[in-house]
Amino acid sequence: LGVKREVLADGRERWYGCGKETPRCFPTVHARTPQYLLAGRWTPPCCLRALRETARHVAAALEAAGVRYWLEGGSLLGAVRLGDIIPWDYDVDLGIYREDAGKCRWLAAAAAGTAVEDAEGFLWEKAAEGDFYRVHYSRSNRLHVDLWPFYPRGGVMTKDTWLGHPQDVEFPEHFLRPRVPLPFAGFTAMAPNNARAFLELKFGPGAIENPEYPNPAVKRL
């Protein structure tokens, strides 16, 4: 993957890999399985660093705008297991209340169909695959955070785009009343109030204790 670490004479580290001005280290993900997994590796450290930075930036922007969000799917799994992104993951997933999207200027622009770069160079856009949003590390580097807009219907949180992922299911709104803080990727994110029950609803019993790659049919841990 062309990634290496240099330890300098004064003890500082310098990584060679992707950055804000370069493409990410791996190509398009197929069948929820990134190329590096097929090569027997986990996520390159530069990509994990960019994902952490993007997640922290997006969460701060949402909180400042008053958008209610929470850790979703594999990102919540990582937070519960490690307090961090799962070391073979390739994106970060956050749920949001759909009605709050207009409170954030970047989300509002994306919802209107305009891809917009914020003041720090992160690119906000509506996803081509359906009714959700994607915040990229930069215009060049497409490591990203996905924002899934849910809305309550009869006490159940639902949404309009379903991609067939195992965790892509409806859930009771009581998991978000209240949301609770949880350490994640170097900052404090908001999460459902019963992470174990939430994750086992989405992934099945033992989801926390039994790690697996995103698509075991392609590559098993």
Side-chain angles (χ1 to χ4, degrees):
L1 294 172
V3 177
K4 67 178 181 179
R5 181 184 64 170
E6 181 181 11
V7 180
L8 305 179
D10 61 4
R12 289 182 298 118
E13 295 182 353
R14 181 163 57 195
W15 284 99
Y16 292 80
C18 68
K20 206 85 160 160
E21 307 303 322
T22 72
R24 68 187 185 187
C25 295
F26 55 95
T28 301
V29 175
H30 295 285
R32 306 198 310 278
T33 305
Q35 177 269 337
Y36 53 79
L37 279 185
L38 298 177
R41 299 183 176 95
W42 285 356
T43 313
C46 48
C47 297
L48 280 175
R49 185 180 64 230
L51 283 173
R52 293 185 187 106
E53 188 178 333
T54 307
R56 184 167 55 248
H57 175 79
V58 171
L62 297 180
E63 289 173 4
V67 176
R68 291 166 291 175
Y69 78 92
W70 61 93
L71 292 166
E72 262 290 342
S75 299
L76 180 60
L77 268 176
V80 172
R81 287 177 185 156
L82 307 165
D84 200 355
I85 297 168
I86 291 174
W88 54 81
D89 214 347
Y90 52 87
D91 65 5
V92 170
D93 290 309
L94 301 178
I96 62 170
Y97 271 84
R98 187 177 70 175
E99 66 195 77
D100 291 351
K103 296 178 179 179
C104 174
R105 60 182 290 198
W106 314 112
L107 267 185
T114 302
V116 58
E117 247 180 285
D118 66 26
E120 296 184 44
F122 295 86
L123 183 70
W124 301 65
E125 67 177 8
K126 191 172 187 295
E129 300 96 318
D131 185 25
F132 64 101
Y133 308 104
R134 191 161 274 162
V135 186
H136 301 275
Y137 186 47
S138 69
R139 194 175 291 275
S140 300
N141 190 325
R142 293 306 178 106
L143 289 159
H144 59 263
V145 172
D146 281 335
L147 300 173
W148 301 94
F150 284 83
Y151 56 92
R153 184 174 62 195
V156 173
M157 297 299 289
T158 189
K159 57 189 177 76
D160 291 337
T161 293
W162 305 95
L163 299 183
H165 299 169
Q167 72 270 24
D168 206 14
V169 297
E170 297 177 332
F171 61 90
E173 189 180 13
H174 67 69
F175 282 112
L176 306 177
R177 294 181 174 271
R179 296 168 299 131
V180 297
L182 194 64
F184 177 69
F187 67 101
T188 300
M190 300 306 294
N193 56 52
N194 187 336
R196 175 174 291 277
F198 186 87
L199 289 168
E200 293 195 343
L201 171 68
K202 297 226 169 192
F203 293 101
I208 296 171
E209 292 80 11
N210 300 299
E212 191 49 85
Y213 287 150
N215 189 349
V218 174
K219 178 80 172 179
R220 295 198 67 87
L221 179 62

